[in-house]
Amino acid sequence: MLMYILKRLALMVPTLIGVVTLTFVVTQFVPGGPVEQIMTQLRHGARPGGEGGAGGGGYHGSQGVDPQQMEQIKKQFGFDKPPLTRYFAMLEDYATFDLGQSYYHHQSVWGVIRSKLPVSITLGLWTVILTYLVSVPLGIAKAVRNGSRFDTVTSVAVLAGYAIPGFVFGVLLLMLFGGGTLWQVFPMRGLTSDDFDDLSAIGKVLDYLWHIVLPVTAAVVGNFAVVTILTKNTFLEEIGRQYVLTAKAKGVPQRDVLFRHVLRNAAIPLLTGLPAAFVGAFLNGNLLIETLFSLDGMGQLSYDSVIRRDYPVVLGSLFLFTLIGLLTKLIADVCYVLVDPRIQFNRTGR
């Protein structure tokens, strides 16, 4: 196992370099870069680097901009150097986990990402917790009652939730409970109230939970189907195996058969997929839900960075999330062995 882990860690290096290299090359050919957008703002009298950094009005070349000023702008963003020089300097910085400085946020990429993570972690953490708390018991119940009316009704319910986009369900929740049409039960935006700092400890917890009800509900409903059906099918497959039939023939109670024998084997794909599900839930971000509920998280940051051509944030966040994704996949593989010691990677040729 140790050799397998070391081999996987070594393979992460070329994978990271490949992802960053491909993205860097693509950014060199994307029109309307940060230099062009700043020059557009100068021609239109906008403040460079402000919130209007998306470059409204389009790029029309460098006409009307002092050449000396244009060179200063290029130097400010580092575009006065050849692409290869900038590329190798970037790799050198990434080797020490220095992700650079954002063009528009006037702080390090690490600082920008850290400021957005609380929102994404909130949505991701609660989404994964609620998904597993609801879907695993529901999937077990569906497997035990396979083919019954309960199985049919719950299948229709979770598949309906899967079919409805999260942002559409979010709009419906706002109309019903956010004061849009009927009841003003929950707040429409933000993770906390304006007077959050003045509240007591219990008041802060209640205020936080009060604010996350609608966005978390909108984000989690579509996730029930996958885990529920996976749990059901896994349990059905294990229930039909010979060792289960033998245990039943010996008179072992059904509850003991399910939770002492079936659960250990059926839980393997669920437990090993948990790290990836958690990381994916809060790193991917949900732009539409964040926008709908006025939450400033990773989804909004990713969108704004691409639109503004904030290349350090685009490249730095991609590097960081790729690294986390690779480590998560490695953790999932290790979980296979921890859950089922019969699995040996060196024997399977992995």
Side-chain angles (χ1 to χ4, degrees):
M1 173 58 69
L2 178 60
M3 291 303 299
Y4 173 76
I5 293 176
L6 293 177
K7 180 181 178 181
R8 288 288 298 272
L9 291 175
L11 289 175
M12 289 181 188
V13 177
T15 302
L16 287 170
I17 294 177
V19 170
V20 172
T21 300
L22 180 61
T23 308
F24 180 84
V25 171
V26 171
T27 59
Q28 304 308 303
F29 297 97
V30 176
V35 174
E36 290 86 351
Q37 294 192 17
I38 292 298
M39 290 189 296
T40 300
Q41 294 175 27
L42 291 174
R43 285 195 303 272
H44 288 80
R47 179 178 178 269
E51 292 301 319
Y59 169 55
H60 304 289
S62 58
Q63 297 177 354
V65 179
D66 182 24
Q68 184 177 1
Q69 188 177 24
M70 185 172 64
E71 291 300 323
Q72 293 177 349
I73 295 174
K74 289 183 177 181
K75 185 176 181 180
Q76 175 186 350
F77 291 109
F79 285 92
D80 58 327
K81 302 175 182 178
L84 279 179
T85 303
R86 290 186 281 114
Y87 169 72
F88 286 113
M90 179 189 67
L91 290 183
E92 184 178 352
D93 291 338
Y94 283 5
T96 60
F97 291 93
D98 180 4
L99 303 183
Q101 298 287 319
S102 169
Y103 293 156
Y104 294 96
H105 294 276
H106 307 295
Q107 60 177 313
S108 67
V109 174
W110 279 110
V112 175
I113 293 176
R114 281 197 300 267
S115 67
K116 310 298 182 182
L117 277 181
V119 170
S120 298
I121 290 178
T122 291
L123 291 178
L125 182 61
W126 285 108
T127 296
V128 172
I129 291 176
L130 293 177
T131 296
Y132 275 77
L133 285 179
V134 173
S135 298
V136 173
L138 180 60
I140 296 174
K142 287 171 63 63
V144 174
R145 306 176 188 179
N146 184 39
S148 66
R149 179 177 297 180
F150 171 81
D151 182 31
T152 302
V153 172
T154 53
S155 294
V156 172
V158 296
L159 291 176
Y162 181 76
I164 301 175
F167 73 93
V168 174
F169 192 66
V171 172
L172 179 62
L173 291 176
L174 285 177
M175 292 175 58
L176 294 177
F177 305 110
T181 302
L182 296 178
W183 304 286
Q184 177 67 53
V185 180
F186 299 101
M188 298 181 62
R189 57 176 57 87
L191 286 181
T192 57
S193 301
D194 294 335
D195 59 345
F196 181 79
D197 294 334
D198 300 329
L199 299 176
S200 63
I202 297 179
K204 290 181 178 180
V205 173
L206 294 177
D207 182 76
Y208 166 75
L209 295 176
W210 182 48
H211 278 76
I212 67 173
V213 169
L214 295 187
V216 169
T217 302
V220 77
V221 168
N223 294 340
F224 289 144
V226 175
V227 180
T228 299
I229 300 302
L230 175 62
T231 303
K232 174 190 173 182
N233 292 339
T234 305
F235 267 78
L236 284 177
E237 182 180 355
E238 292 297 324
I239 289 174
R241 293 187 181 276
Q242 185 62 43
Y243 73 91
V244 176
L245 300 178
T246 302
K248 289 182 178 179
K250 291 181 178 181
V252 179
Q254 183 178 6
R255 182 182 182 88
D256 292 341
V257 172
L258 285 176
F259 292 100
R260 290 186 180 182
H261 300 282
V262 176
L263 181 60
R264 179 176 181 180
N265 293 323
I268 292 177
L270 298 175
L271 294 178
T272 54
L274 183 59
F278 173 71
V279 173
F282 80 82
L283 287 187
N284 289 341
N286 194 321
L287 173 62
L288 295 176
I289 290 181
E290 289 180 8
T291 302
L292 184 63
F293 292 97
S294 300
L295 303 175
D296 191 11
M298 291 304 303
Q300 190 68 48
L301 174 65
S302 301
Y303 175 78
D304 290 341
S305 299
V306 172
I307 294 299
R308 294 173 174 176
R309 306 296 192 268
D310 196 350
Y311 295 146
V313 175
V314 173
L315 290 166
S317 58
L318 180 64
F319 171 82
L320 178 62
F321 297 159
T322 301
L323 176 60
I324 294 176
L326 293 172
L327 291 175
T328 302
K329 178 61 178 175
L330 176 59
I331 293 174
D333 288 343
V334 173
C335 287
Y336 271 108
V337 178
L338 296 179
V339 175
D340 189 354
R342 295 172 299 176
I343 298 176
Q344 297 292 333
F345 291 114
N346 56 347
R347 294 181 182 177
T348 60
R350 294 186 64 177

